[in-house]
Amino acid sequence: MYQVAAGIHNTEVSRVMLSSDYLLDASYLLKAITPATRVIFLCSPNNPTGNALDQAEMEKVLKGFPGPVVIDEAYIDFSPEFSFLPRLNEFSNLIVLQTFSKAWGMAGIRLGMAFASPAVIAILNKIKYPYNLNILTQQKALELLENLEEKDVWVRNLLQERKKLETELMKFSFVEKVFPSDANFLLVRIKEARKVYEWLTSEGIIVRDRSRILLCEETLRITVGTAGENDILLRALKNYGISR
Ligand SMILES: *Cc1c(COP(=O)(O)O)cnc(C)c1O
């Protein structure tokens, strides 16, 4: 989406690769900066790899680039210990993005949040659309925030299910690797990922085939579901194994 938004504004996007095990190398990223660089986006926990980026490396980026550094924390509710939000006061160029779309299960209310220094927020206030946040969304968000513990219960359940799914997935002979996740999904390297993807689709199970992304060859991104949904997935994979 950042690429789409940049395209609409006729702005060039420069992609900087993570290392082969999906780690951020700040010095490599900082070397890619040119006089034309206006803003840097980091996604942590990252999509589709699932891992949170290294805090010290992100700090080097924040200190090494004078312009805004946006950290997309869409998945941070699943690993709040990695959030940069508590450190907002340390970096005047830091913008943290969070959303109600993931852990809150409320993608439909279209509510995201930007946290930044007062100077940055003042600029955002100048360029935002009037009444950009409709009253129905506001009411729903306030309702959700009154039951914060409920979200924490959902997250705790999900983390348990993620652990179970990880353990079970590793037992399949065609699963080569389950990447460590700090998010609500698992990136899984699979032999003939496309075939598995098509099998699951035929069974009515939708996962994401991420194989076309560089460094993600032969991978599926599997969202952690409810206990029942995960069982259905595991049963389908078992049948795939048998049918081979
Ligand atoms: C889901 C997601 C978001 C948030 O999406 P919205 O529904 O527009 O709030 C942001 N960044 C990443 C990487 C995501 O996966």
Side-chain angles (χ1 to χ4, degrees):
M1 267 318 291
Y2 297 126
Q3 177 137 39
V4 172
I8 291 167
H9 291 90
N10 200 23
T11 295
E12 201 178 308
V13 171
S14 171
R15 290 163 175 269
V16 182
M17 300 285 278
L18 299 174
S19 74
S20 58
D21 38 6
Y22 309 144
L23 303 180
L24 171 65
D25 177 346
S27 64
Y28 182 65
L29 173 60
L30 292 170
K31 265 185 224 134
I33 292 173
T34 74
T37 305
R38 289 290 174 272
V39 54
I40 294 176
F41 289 89
L42 301 171
C43 188
S44 177
N46 190 35
N47 182 10
T49 63
N51 58 307
L53 300 180
D54 186 84
Q55 300 253 316
E57 291 301 301
M58 290 203 280
E59 188 170 338
K60 283 184 207 163
V61 175
L62 281 157
K63 287 180 171 158
F65 179 62
V69 175
V70 179
I71 304 183
D72 181 335
E73 294 191 348
Y75 297 97
I76 204 67
D77 300 272
F78 305 104
S79 51
E81 66 274 21
F82 295 123
S83 180
F84 256 82
L85 206 46
R87 304 184 61 187
L88 208 51
N89 288 335
E90 284 178 57
F91 311 100
S92 60
N93 59 336
L94 169 61
I95 303 176
V96 174
L97 302 184
Q98 295 187 1
T99 178
F100 278 87
S101 293
K102 304 287 154 66
W104 291 92
M106 276 290 149
I109 67 172
R110 308 308 307 139
L111 182 56
M113 295 152 275
F115 302 91
S117 63
V120 171
I121 294 295
I123 294 167
L124 294 179
N125 266 328
K126 278 187 206 156
I127 61 173
K128 79 173 183 66
Y129 291 105
Y131 313 111
N132 57 315
L133 193 49
N134 75 71
I135 197 156
L136 296 178
T137 289
Q138 290 181 44
Q139 284 167 352
K140 187 69 198 175
L142 289 171
E143 200 182 293
L144 290 168
L145 287 170
E146 271 175 28
N147 293 306
L148 228 122
E149 302 78 26
E150 200 178 15
K151 182 205 65 168
D152 294 339
V153 172
W154 294 337
V155 168
R156 261 202 308 278
N157 285 342
L158 186 131
L159 295 183
Q160 265 175 21
E161 282 299 312
R162 190 181 75 197
K163 184 94 203 97
K164 184 187 89 182
L165 203 54
E166 192 182 351
T167 309
E168 293 302 317
L169 286 170
M170 286 194 298
K171 292 181 184 167
F172 293 108
S173 60
F174 49 89
V175 168
E176 292 180 334
K177 180 161 187 174
V178 181
F179 289 92
S181 172
D182 302 302
N184 63 339
F185 56 81
L186 291 167
L187 188 73
V188 187
R189 179 153 281 142
I190 292 183
K191 280 183 203 133
E192 300 185 289
R194 192 69 206 173
K195 275 195 185 151
V196 177
Y197 171 82
E198 279 163 7
W199 167 261
L200 290 175
T201 304
S202 73
E203 293 287 300
I205 299 169
I206 308 294
V207 299
R208 305 298 292 268
D209 183 359
R210 302 285 78 173
S211 301
R212 269 169 305 204
I213 296 177
L214 283 174
L215 300 182
C216 294
E217 293 79 15
E218 299 295 332
T219 60
L220 301 183
R221 200 200 77 172
I222 301 175
T223 301
V224 179
T226 61
E229 288 166 341
N230 297 333
D231 285 344
I232 291 171
L233 169 81
L234 291 168
R235 212 171 314 138
L237 288 173
K238 209 168 179 177
N239 289 336
Y240 171 83
I242 292 168
S243 72
R244 312 275 308 149

